[in-house]
Amino acid sequence: MSHAVTRSVTAVGPALLTSLDPLLREWLPRQRWFAGKGRPVTGFSLVAATELLPLDATPGLYHLLARAHQPPARFVGAGREKTIPHPGDCYQLLIGVRQALPPRLAPALIGHVHTGPLTGRTTYEALYDPRPAETILEALRSGARIGALRFERRTDIVPHLVPRLLTGEQSNSSVVYGDTFILKLLRRVVPGVNPDLELPLALAREGCPRVPAPTAWVTAEAAERGTEGPYVLAVLRPYLRGAVDGWELALRGPAEGEDFTAEARALGRATAEVHTALARALPTVTLGHLQLRSMVEGMTARLEAAVQAVPVLGAYAPALHSVYEALAALAVEGYTVTAQRIHGDLHLGQFLRAPAGDWSLTDFEGEPARPLAERRMPQPAARDVAGMLRSFDYAAHTADGPPALEWAEACRAAYCTGYAEAGGHDPRTEPVLLHACETDKAVYEVVYEARYRPDRLRVPLSAIRRLAGSGPV
């Protein structure tokens, strides 16, 4: 790795954020990656601000870490209202500044500034603009240090690659450079070791071919009190040219009547290979009675919170509770489970198939709504398996026409068969654990869909009916 280059930076104070405040209050909640849907933004506090391109350049570029403050969440249960305070989520923002936007950047508009140091200028989401995106890549290539930002790399980076922002639905932002690299820019960030960098690096040390090794990454020193470690802000990886994600491929099955079981079996094998490599690279633990009881309590707490958020779930709550209690009862009898580091948010869209037919696995961030410490805990591998089983079910319900239930069941079985072939352990041999993990995932999906995509709420609710009916009641 080349030695880091230290560059001077113009001090950027809270005045910058103050001038952007009224614009960001309107713009931020409209972004797909904003986590606080349903509650207004009441203000911002600055975590860090760095000038990447000077204001007199065209464009100017500011990197902000800003904490968005919102009213506390309120839940009503047992006849009482419960208020849950929240310190506010920290978001990573790349703010471009121009006198006026050219038409090609119209979709990126944040707004026109009327007060403060940016008065009279137009601000916009900078990743839509090639020049700011090129600036990020050059900083990574040179190993720059700019203000609080640290740009680090493992291998050489080709310069002068043309950037393009991916505009599909996602919880972060991604920029492709030529056909060589893809940069994942994390939007809601927390300090500490991020599994989206930690796990691919560990797998690279193991020589696991299923996961592209990180090329470079961006971090920022955490200046706030009580924070543990730097913020991981972005990760640059090789771009798999011509690859198609598993979700897109799977949807052709129920829509066009295509058999997907061979691919589902290959996905099971790929998952098992990654799990095996993670178990070699990082510590594993055995979950006994107390640990499994704690896991069941976590599932139960998430169910109770979900019932508060989506009351229609209440009709199924007793049966779902019994699914979890069946696992707790097994633990009392001496049942144990091996826990290890896992993907944490596994679904068809996390797999990419190269033109040659090989499958790769990406996006190890885990479920962003869960605390970082929880996402980094060893978990039963059945959690990832359950995520994939739910994903096949989603594909069966998303295609045109009635749900392709037989297609989904065949894919679920093929996936487990492939997993057993490569991992030596068939997840179906532990039905109580798998049932509990799939139920926990479906409960999470109910809350997610009710909050972000209510038109799809029927999909996890259909699974809830199935899981409640087939579980021990």
Side-chain angles (χ1 to χ4, degrees):
M1 181 182 297
S2 65
H3 294 290
V5 177
T6 303
R7 291 171 51 181
S8 62
V9 58
T10 302
V12 181
L16 176 67
L17 185 59
T18 300
S19 67
L20 290 170
D21 184 307
L23 301 177
L24 293 178
R25 290 194 196 203
E26 296 294 326
W27 177 81
L28 189 62
R30 298 198 301 267
Q31 306 314 300
R32 170 68 180 81
W33 37 265
F34 180 68
K37 301 291 185 184
R39 290 178 292 139
V41 175
T42 57
F44 297 91
S45 57
L46 189 65
V47 176
T50 306
E51 183 183 81
L52 295 177
L53 292 172
L55 193 57
D56 57 4
T58 302
L61 176 62
Y62 289 99
H63 180 281
L64 298 182
L65 294 178
R67 196 169 293 283
H69 300 288
Q70 298 180 267
R74 289 182 171 83
F75 297 97
V76 179
R80 295 183 179 180
E81 184 178 273
K82 183 178 180 181
T83 300
I84 302 178
H86 194 281
D89 293 312
C90 182
Y91 291 95
Q92 176 178 196
L93 307 175
L94 279 167
I95 307 295
V97 183
R98 289 174 176 263
Q99 289 291 345
L101 282 191
R104 64 183 174 82
L105 293 177
L109 176 68
I110 295 176
H112 307 285
V113 183
H114 300 291
T115 60
L118 302 182
T119 298
R121 290 179 167 87
T122 300
T123 57
Y124 62 101
E125 165 57 75
L127 289 180
Y128 279 82
D129 197 347
R131 174 74 192 286
E134 290 165 357
T135 299
I136 300 297
L137 186 66
E138 178 56 28
L140 286 167
R141 194 185 70 82
S142 64
R145 294 188 176 189
I146 311 174
L149 303 181
R150 301 292 180 265
F151 297 83
E152 304 178 54
R153 62 179 175 86
R154 287 178 69 247
T155 59
D156 291 339
I157 297 173
V158 180
H160 311 305
L161 296 172
V162 177
R164 59 184 174 91
L165 177 67
L166 299 183
T167 56
E169 182 179 294
Q170 50 186 332
S171 56
N172 293 289
S173 297
S174 296
V175 178
V176 173
Y177 292 94
D179 286 326
T180 307
F181 299 112
I182 181 168
L183 178 74
K184 177 180 177 181
L185 190 100
L186 302 175
R187 286 303 194 165
R188 187 171 62 140
V189 296
V190 294
V193 179
N194 193 302
D196 205 23
L197 177 60
E198 176 195 17
L199 297 187
L201 284 175
L203 290 167
R205 291 192 296 269
E206 285 294 319
C208 179
R210 294 291 188 179
V211 178
T215 301
W217 52 91
V218 186
T219 61
E221 295 301 321
E224 296 176 302
R225 284 185 180 179
T227 55
E228 299 180 3
Y231 291 88
V232 174
L233 303 179
V235 181
L236 186 75
R237 298 185 177 88
Y239 180 65
L240 302 178
R241 186 186 313 176
V244 182
D245 74 58
W247 175 254
E248 182 179 338
L249 282 175
L251 286 184
R252 299 173 188 173
E256 302 174 13
E258 293 182 4
D259 179 36
F260 195 71
T261 54
E263 297 291 4
R265 194 168 176 173
L267 289 170
R269 289 195 295 269
T271 306
E273 289 174 19
V274 171
H275 280 171
T276 300
L278 285 172
R280 287 196 308 263
L282 298 165
T284 63
V285 297
T286 299
L287 305 183
H289 176 209
L290 293 179
Q291 293 86 357
L292 286 173
R293 180 77 246 180
S294 177
M295 189 172 90
V296 167
E297 288 172 354
M299 291 175 169
T300 301
R302 286 190 288 275
L303 173 59
E304 292 172 351
V307 170
Q308 297 291 335
V310 190
V312 69
L313 198 58
Y316 307 100
L320 300 179
H321 274 294
S322 70
V323 172
Y324 302 150
E325 288 304 319
L327 179 58
L330 274 185
V332 171
E333 298 171 5
Y335 175 71
T336 62
V337 175
T338 298
Q340 63 165 90
R341 298 298 298 278
I342 62 172
H343 183 280
D345 187 25
L346 197 59
H347 54 76
L348 283 160
Q350 308 288 33
F351 285 92
L352 296 173
R353 192 182 71 175
D358 298 327
W359 286 100
S360 297
L361 184 53
T362 187
D363 286 339
F364 283 78
E365 187 182 1
E367 292 178 0
R370 296 192 175 182
L372 182 62
E374 183 179 323
R375 286 184 268 149
R376 295 188 65 229
M377 290 175 58
Q379 301 281 347
R383 282 197 180 276
D384 276 351
V385 174
M388 285 299 293
L389 300 187
R390 293 293 313 118
S391 195
F392 287 120
D393 190 50
Y394 258 80
H397 282 79
T398 303
D400 294 335
L405 301 183
E406 292 183 1
W407 178 93
E409 195 56 40
C411 288
R412 289 155 63 95
Y415 176 83
C416 290
T417 297
Y419 189 96
E421 291 171 346
H425 175 76
D426 192 328
R428 292 168 293 190
T429 61
E430 297 185 273
V432 175
L433 173 64
L434 188 58
H435 191 182
C437 290
E438 189 178 355
T439 300
D440 190 43
K441 182 67 174 179
V443 168
Y444 166 85
E445 291 166 353
V446 166
V447 177
Y448 182 91
E449 302 297 10
R451 182 174 298 165
Y452 297 110
R453 303 184 299 189
D455 58 313
R456 295 194 187 183
L457 182 56
R458 60 183 177 82
V459 180
L461 281 178
S462 173
I464 288 292
R465 286 192 289 271
R466 171 176 59 81
L467 292 161
S470 60
V473 180

